[in-house]
CSV table of all heavy atoms in Angstrom, one decimal:
chain,number,residue,atom,x,y,z
A,407,LEU,N,-22.6,-179.1,-53.5
A,407,LEU,CA,-21.3,-179.7,-53.6
A,407,LEU,C,-21.1,-180.6,-52.4
A,407,LEU,O,-21.6,-180.4,-51.3
A,407,LEU,CB,-20.2,-178.6,-53.6
A,407,LEU,CG,-20.2,-177.6,-54.7
A,407,LEU,CD1,-19.0,-176.6,-54.5
A,407,LEU,CD2,-20.0,-178.4,-56.1
A,408,TYR,N,-20.3,-181.7,-52.6
A,408,TYR,CA,-20.0,-182.6,-51.5
A,408,TYR,C,-18.5,-182.4,-51.2
A,408,TYR,O,-17.6,-182.9,-51.9
A,408,TYR,CB,-20.2,-184.1,-52.0
A,408,TYR,CG,-21.4,-184.2,-52.9
A,408,TYR,CD1,-21.3,-184.9,-54.1
A,408,TYR,CD2,-22.7,-183.7,-52.5
A,408,TYR,CE1,-22.4,-185.1,-54.9
A,408,TYR,CE2,-23.8,-183.9,-53.3
A,408,TYR,CZ,-23.6,-184.6,-54.6
A,408,TYR,OH,-24.7,-184.7,-55.4
A,409,ALA,N,-18.3,-181.8,-50.0
A,409,ALA,CA,-16.9,-181.4,-49.7
A,409,ALA,C,-16.0,-182.5,-49.6
A,409,ALA,O,-14.8,-182.4,-50.0
A,409,ALA,CB,-17.0,-180.6,-48.4
A,410,SER,N,-16.4,-183.7,-49.1
A,410,SER,CA,-15.5,-184.8,-48.9
A,410,SER,C,-15.1,-185.5,-50.2
A,410,SER,O,-14.2,-186.3,-50.3
A,410,SER,CB,-16.2,-185.9,-48.0
A,410,SER,OG,-17.4,-186.3,-48.6
A,411,SER,N,-15.8,-185.1,-51.3
A,411,SER,CA,-15.6,-185.8,-52.6
A,411,SER,C,-14.6,-184.9,-53.4
A,411,SER,O,-14.1,-185.4,-54.5
A,411,SER,CB,-16.9,-185.9,-53.4
A,411,SER,OG,-17.7,-186.8,-52.7
A,412,ILE,N,-14.3,-183.7,-53.0
A,412,ILE,CA,-13.4,-182.8,-53.8
A,412,ILE,C,-12.0,-183.1,-53.5
A,412,ILE,O,-11.5,-183.0,-52.3
A,412,ILE,CB,-13.8,-181.4,-53.4
A,412,ILE,CG1,-15.2,-181.1,-53.8
A,412,ILE,CG2,-12.8,-180.4,-54.2
A,412,ILE,CD1,-15.7,-179.7,-53.3
A,413,ARG,N,-11.2,-183.5,-54.5
A,413,ARG,CA,-9.8,-183.8,-54.3
A,413,ARG,C,-9.0,-182.5,-54.1
A,413,ARG,O,-9.2,-181.5,-54.8
A,413,ARG,CB,-9.2,-184.5,-55.5
A,413,ARG,CG,-9.7,-185.9,-55.7
A,413,ARG,CD,-9.0,-186.6,-56.8
A,413,ARG,NE,-7.6,-186.6,-56.7
A,413,ARG,CZ,-6.7,-186.2,-57.7
A,413,ARG,NH1,-7.2,-185.8,-58.8
A,413,ARG,NH2,-5.4,-186.3,-57.5
A,414,VAL,N,-8.1,-182.5,-53.1
A,414,VAL,CA,-7.2,-181.4,-52.8
A,414,VAL,C,-5.8,-181.8,-52.9
A,414,VAL,O,-5.5,-183.0,-52.7
A,414,VAL,CB,-7.6,-180.7,-51.5
A,414,VAL,CG1,-9.0,-180.3,-51.4
A,414,VAL,CG2,-7.2,-181.7,-50.3
A,415,PHE,N,-4.9,-180.9,-53.1
A,415,PHE,CA,-3.5,-181.2,-53.1
A,415,PHE,C,-3.0,-181.5,-51.6
A,415,PHE,O,-3.5,-180.9,-50.7
A,415,PHE,CB,-2.6,-180.0,-53.6
A,415,PHE,CG,-2.7,-179.8,-55.0
A,415,PHE,CD1,-3.4,-178.8,-55.6
A,415,PHE,CD2,-1.9,-180.6,-55.9
A,415,PHE,CE1,-3.4,-178.6,-57.0
A,415,PHE,CE2,-2.0,-180.5,-57.3
A,415,PHE,CZ,-2.7,-179.5,-57.8
A,416,PRO,N,-2.2,-182.6,-51.5
A,416,PRO,CA,-1.7,-182.9,-50.2
A,416,PRO,C,-1.1,-181.7,-49.5
A,416,PRO,O,-0.4,-180.9,-50.1
A,416,PRO,CB,-0.7,-184.0,-50.5
A,416,PRO,CG,-1.1,-184.6,-51.8
A,416,PRO,CD,-1.7,-183.4,-52.6
A,417,SER,N,-1.3,-181.6,-48.2
A,417,SER,CA,-0.8,-180.5,-47.3
A,417,SER,C,-1.5,-179.2,-47.5
A,417,SER,O,-1.3,-178.3,-46.7
A,417,SER,CB,0.7,-180.3,-47.5
A,417,SER,OG,1.0,-179.7,-48.7
A,418,SER,N,-2.4,-179.0,-48.5
A,418,SER,CA,-3.1,-177.7,-48.6
A,418,SER,C,-4.0,-177.5,-47.4
A,418,SER,O,-4.1,-176.3,-46.9
A,418,SER,CB,-3.8,-177.6,-49.9
A,418,SER,OG,-4.8,-178.6,-50.0
A,419,LEU,N,-4.7,-178.5,-46.9
A,419,LEU,CA,-5.5,-178.4,-45.8
A,419,LEU,C,-4.7,-178.0,-44.5
A,419,LEU,O,-5.2,-177.2,-43.7
A,419,LEU,CB,-6.4,-179.6,-45.6
A,419,LEU,CG,-7.5,-179.9,-46.6
A,419,LEU,CD1,-8.1,-181.3,-46.3
A,419,LEU,CD2,-8.6,-178.8,-46.5
A,420,GLU,N,-3.6,-178.7,-44.4
A,420,GLU,CA,-2.7,-178.4,-43.2
A,420,GLU,C,-2.3,-176.9,-43.2
A,420,GLU,O,-2.3,-176.3,-42.2
A,420,GLU,CB,-1.5,-179.3,-43.3
A,420,GLU,CG,-0.5,-179.1,-42.2
A,420,GLU,CD,0.8,-179.9,-42.4
A,420,GLU,OE1,0.8,-180.9,-43.2
A,420,GLU,OE2,1.8,-179.5,-41.8
A,421,TYR,N,-1.8,-176.4,-44.4
A,421,TYR,CA,-1.4,-175.0,-44.4
A,421,TYR,C,-2.6,-174.1,-44.2
A,421,TYR,O,-2.5,-173.0,-43.5
A,421,TYR,CB,-0.7,-174.7,-45.7
A,421,TYR,CG,0.7,-175.3,-45.7
A,421,TYR,CD1,1.0,-176.3,-46.7
A,421,TYR,CD2,1.7,-174.9,-44.9
A,421,TYR,CE1,2.3,-176.9,-46.7
A,421,TYR,CE2,2.9,-175.5,-44.9
A,421,TYR,CZ,3.2,-176.5,-45.8
A,421,TYR,OH,4.5,-177.0,-45.8
A,422,ALA,N,-3.7,-174.4,-44.7
A,422,ALA,CA,-4.9,-173.6,-44.6
A,422,ALA,C,-5.3,-173.6,-43.1
A,422,ALA,O,-5.7,-172.5,-42.5
A,422,ALA,CB,-6.1,-174.1,-45.4
A,423,ARG,N,-5.2,-174.7,-42.4
A,423,ARG,CA,-5.5,-174.8,-41.0
A,423,ARG,C,-4.5,-173.8,-40.2
A,423,ARG,O,-4.9,-173.3,-39.1
A,423,ARG,CB,-5.3,-176.2,-40.5
A,423,ARG,CG,-6.0,-176.5,-39.2
A,423,ARG,CD,-5.9,-178.0,-38.8
A,423,ARG,NE,-6.6,-178.8,-39.8
A,423,ARG,CZ,-6.1,-179.7,-40.6
A,423,ARG,NH1,-4.8,-179.9,-40.6
A,423,ARG,NH2,-6.9,-180.4,-41.4
A,424,GLU,N,-3.3,-173.6,-40.7
A,424,GLU,CA,-2.4,-172.7,-40.0
A,424,GLU,C,-2.5,-171.3,-40.5
A,424,GLU,O,-1.8,-170.4,-40.0
A,424,GLU,CB,-0.9,-173.2,-40.3
A,424,GLU,CG,-0.6,-174.6,-39.7
A,424,GLU,CD,0.7,-175.1,-40.2
A,424,GLU,OE1,1.4,-174.4,-40.9
A,424,GLU,OE2,1.1,-176.3,-39.8
A,425,GLY,N,-3.5,-171.0,-41.3
A,425,GLY,CA,-3.7,-169.6,-41.8
A,425,GLY,C,-2.9,-169.1,-42.9
A,425,GLY,O,-2.8,-167.9,-43.1
A,426,ILE,N,-2.2,-170.1,-43.6
A,426,ILE,CA,-1.3,-169.7,-44.7
A,426,ILE,C,-2.2,-169.7,-46.0
A,426,ILE,O,-2.4,-170.8,-46.6
A,426,ILE,CB,-0.1,-170.7,-44.8
A,426,ILE,CG1,0.7,-170.6,-43.5
A,426,ILE,CG2,0.8,-170.3,-46.0
A,426,ILE,CD1,1.6,-171.8,-43.3
A,427,LEU,N,-2.7,-168.5,-46.3
A,427,LEU,CA,-3.6,-168.4,-47.4
A,427,LEU,C,-3.2,-167.3,-48.4
A,427,LEU,O,-2.6,-166.3,-48.0
A,427,LEU,CB,-5.0,-168.1,-46.9
A,427,LEU,CG,-5.6,-169.0,-45.8
A,427,LEU,CD1,-6.9,-168.4,-45.2
A,427,LEU,CD2,-5.9,-170.4,-46.4
A,428,ALA,N,-3.5,-167.6,-49.7
A,428,ALA,CA,-3.3,-166.5,-50.7
A,428,ALA,C,-4.3,-165.4,-50.4
A,428,ALA,O,-5.5,-165.6,-50.0
A,428,ALA,CB,-3.5,-167.1,-52.1
A,429,ALA,N,-4.0,-164.2,-50.8
A,429,ALA,CA,-4.9,-163.1,-50.6
A,429,ALA,C,-6.2,-163.3,-51.4
A,429,ALA,O,-7.2,-162.8,-51.0
A,429,ALA,CB,-4.2,-161.8,-51.1
A,430,GLY,N,-6.1,-164.0,-52.5
A,430,GLY,CA,-7.3,-164.3,-53.3
A,430,GLY,C,-8.4,-165.0,-52.6
A,430,GLY,O,-9.6,-165.0,-52.9
A,431,VAL,N,-8.0,-165.8,-51.5
A,431,VAL,CA,-9.0,-166.5,-50.7
A,431,VAL,C,-10.1,-165.5,-50.2
A,431,VAL,O,-11.3,-165.8,-50.2
A,431,VAL,CB,-8.4,-167.3,-49.6
A,431,VAL,CG1,-9.4,-167.9,-48.7
A,431,VAL,CG2,-7.5,-168.5,-50.2
A,432,TYR,N,-9.5,-164.4,-49.6
A,432,TYR,CA,-10.4,-163.4,-49.0
A,432,TYR,C,-11.2,-162.7,-50.0
A,432,TYR,O,-12.4,-162.4,-49.9
A,432,TYR,CB,-9.6,-162.5,-48.1
A,432,TYR,CG,-8.7,-163.2,-47.1
A,432,TYR,CD1,-7.4,-163.4,-47.3
A,432,TYR,CD2,-9.3,-163.6,-45.9
A,432,TYR,CE1,-6.6,-164.0,-46.4
A,432,TYR,CE2,-8.5,-164.3,-45.0
A,432,TYR,CZ,-7.2,-164.5,-45.2
A,432,TYR,OH,-6.4,-165.1,-44.3
A,433,ALA,N,-10.6,-162.4,-51.2
A,433,ALA,CA,-11.3,-161.7,-52.2
A,433,ALA,C,-12.4,-162.6,-52.8
A,433,ALA,O,-13.5,-162.1,-53.1
A,433,ALA,CB,-10.3,-161.3,-53.3
A,434,ASN,N,-12.1,-163.9,-53.0
A,434,ASN,CA,-13.1,-164.8,-53.5
A,434,ASN,C,-14.3,-165.0,-52.6
A,434,ASN,O,-15.4,-165.1,-53.0
A,434,ASN,CB,-12.5,-166.1,-53.9
A,434,ASN,CG,-11.5,-166.0,-55.1
A,434,ASN,OD1,-11.7,-165.1,-55.9
A,434,ASN,ND2,-10.6,-167.0,-55.2
A,435,ARG,N,-14.0,-165.1,-51.3
A,435,ARG,CA,-15.0,-165.2,-50.3
A,435,ARG,C,-16.0,-164.0,-50.3
A,435,ARG,O,-17.2,-164.1,-50.3
A,435,ARG,CB,-14.5,-165.4,-48.9
A,435,ARG,CG,-15.5,-165.7,-47.8
A,435,ARG,CD,-14.8,-165.8,-46.5
A,435,ARG,NE,-14.1,-167.0,-46.3
A,435,ARG,CZ,-14.6,-168.2,-45.9
A,435,ARG,NH1,-15.8,-168.3,-45.6
A,435,ARG,NH2,-13.8,-169.3,-45.7
A,436,LYS,N,-15.4,-162.8,-50.5
A,436,LYS,CA,-16.2,-161.6,-50.6
A,436,LYS,C,-17.0,-161.5,-51.9
A,436,LYS,O,-18.1,-161.1,-51.9
A,436,LYS,CB,-15.2,-160.3,-50.5
A,436,LYS,CG,-15.9,-159.0,-50.5
A,436,LYS,CD,-15.0,-157.9,-50.4
A,436,LYS,CE,-15.7,-156.5,-50.4
A,436,LYS,NZ,-14.7,-155.4,-50.3
A,437,PHE,N,-16.4,-162.0,-52.9
A,437,PHE,CA,-17.0,-162.1,-54.3
A,437,PHE,C,-18.3,-162.9,-54.2
A,437,PHE,O,-19.4,-162.5,-54.7
A,437,PHE,CB,-16.1,-162.6,-55.3
A,437,PHE,CG,-16.7,-162.9,-56.6
A,437,PHE,CD1,-17.4,-162.0,-57.4
A,437,PHE,CD2,-16.6,-164.2,-57.1
A,437,PHE,CE1,-17.9,-162.3,-58.6
A,437,PHE,CE2,-17.2,-164.5,-58.4
A,437,PHE,CZ,-17.9,-163.6,-59.1
A,438,VAL,N,-18.2,-164.1,-53.6
A,438,VAL,CA,-19.3,-165.0,-53.6
A,438,VAL,C,-20.3,-164.6,-52.5
A,438,VAL,O,-21.5,-164.7,-52.7
A,438,VAL,CB,-18.9,-166.4,-53.3
A,438,VAL,CG1,-20.0,-167.4,-53.0
A,438,VAL,CG2,-18.0,-166.9,-54.4
A,439,GLY,N,-19.8,-164.0,-51.4
A,439,GLY,CA,-20.7,-163.4,-50.3
A,439,GLY,C,-21.7,-164.5,-49.8
A,439,GLY,O,-21.3,-165.6,-49.4
A,440,ASP,N,-22.9,-164.0,-49.6
A,440,ASP,CA,-23.9,-164.9,-49.0
A,440,ASP,C,-24.5,-165.9,-50.0
A,440,ASP,O,-25.5,-166.6,-49.6
A,440,ASP,CB,-25.1,-164.0,-48.5
A,440,ASP,CG,-24.6,-163.1,-47.4
A,440,ASP,OD1,-23.7,-163.4,-46.7
A,440,ASP,OD2,-25.2,-162.0,-47.3
A,441,ALA,N,-24.0,-166.0,-51.2
A,441,ALA,CA,-24.5,-167.0,-52.2
A,441,ALA,C,-24.1,-168.4,-51.9
A,441,ALA,O,-24.6,-169.3,-52.5
A,441,ALA,CB,-24.0,-166.6,-53.6
A,442,VAL,N,-23.2,-168.6,-50.9
A,442,VAL,CA,-22.8,-170.0,-50.5
A,442,VAL,C,-23.2,-170.3,-49.1
A,442,VAL,O,-23.0,-169.4,-48.2
A,442,VAL,CB,-21.3,-170.2,-50.8
A,442,VAL,CG1,-20.5,-169.3,-49.9
A,442,VAL,CG2,-20.9,-171.6,-50.5
A,443,SER,N,-23.6,-171.5,-48.8
A,443,SER,CA,-24.0,-171.9,-47.5
A,443,SER,C,-23.2,-173.2,-47.2
A,443,SER,O,-23.2,-174.1,-48.0
A,443,SER,CB,-25.5,-172.2,-47.4
A,443,SER,OG,-25.8,-172.8,-46.2
A,444,PHE,N,-22.6,-173.2,-46.0
A,444,PHE,CA,-21.8,-174.4,-45.6
A,444,PHE,C,-22.5,-175.1,-44.5
A,444,PHE,O,-23.1,-174.5,-43.5
A,444,PHE,CB,-20.4,-174.0,-45.1
A,444,PHE,CG,-19.5,-173.3,-46.1
A,444,PHE,CD1,-19.4,-172.0,-46.2
A,444,PHE,CD2,-18.8,-174.1,-47.0
A,444,PHE,CE1,-18.6,-171.4,-47.1
A,444,PHE,CE2,-18.0,-173.5,-47.9
A,444,PHE,CZ,-17.9,-172.2,-48.0
């Protein structure tokens, strides 16, 4: 995946930077686990 090519909703990155995240973010990160490399 090319991160810079993925469209996001305006201000979602700003709120994510402030730690305002849905609980599902942590669950999804655990679900994918080591299968993703950044």
Side-chain angles (χ1 to χ4, degrees):
L407 298 179
Y408 323 129
S410 61
S411 299
I412 300 170
R413 289 182 59 228
V414 302
F415 284 106
S417 73
S418 61
L419 288 173
E420 175 187 342
Y421 286 117
R423 197 175 295 119
E424 296 174 3
I426 300 166
L427 304 172
V431 170
Y432 304 101
N434 289 339
R435 188 182 286 273
K436 183 177 180 181
F437 168 61
V438 174
D440 296 332
V442 61
S443 172
F444 296 98

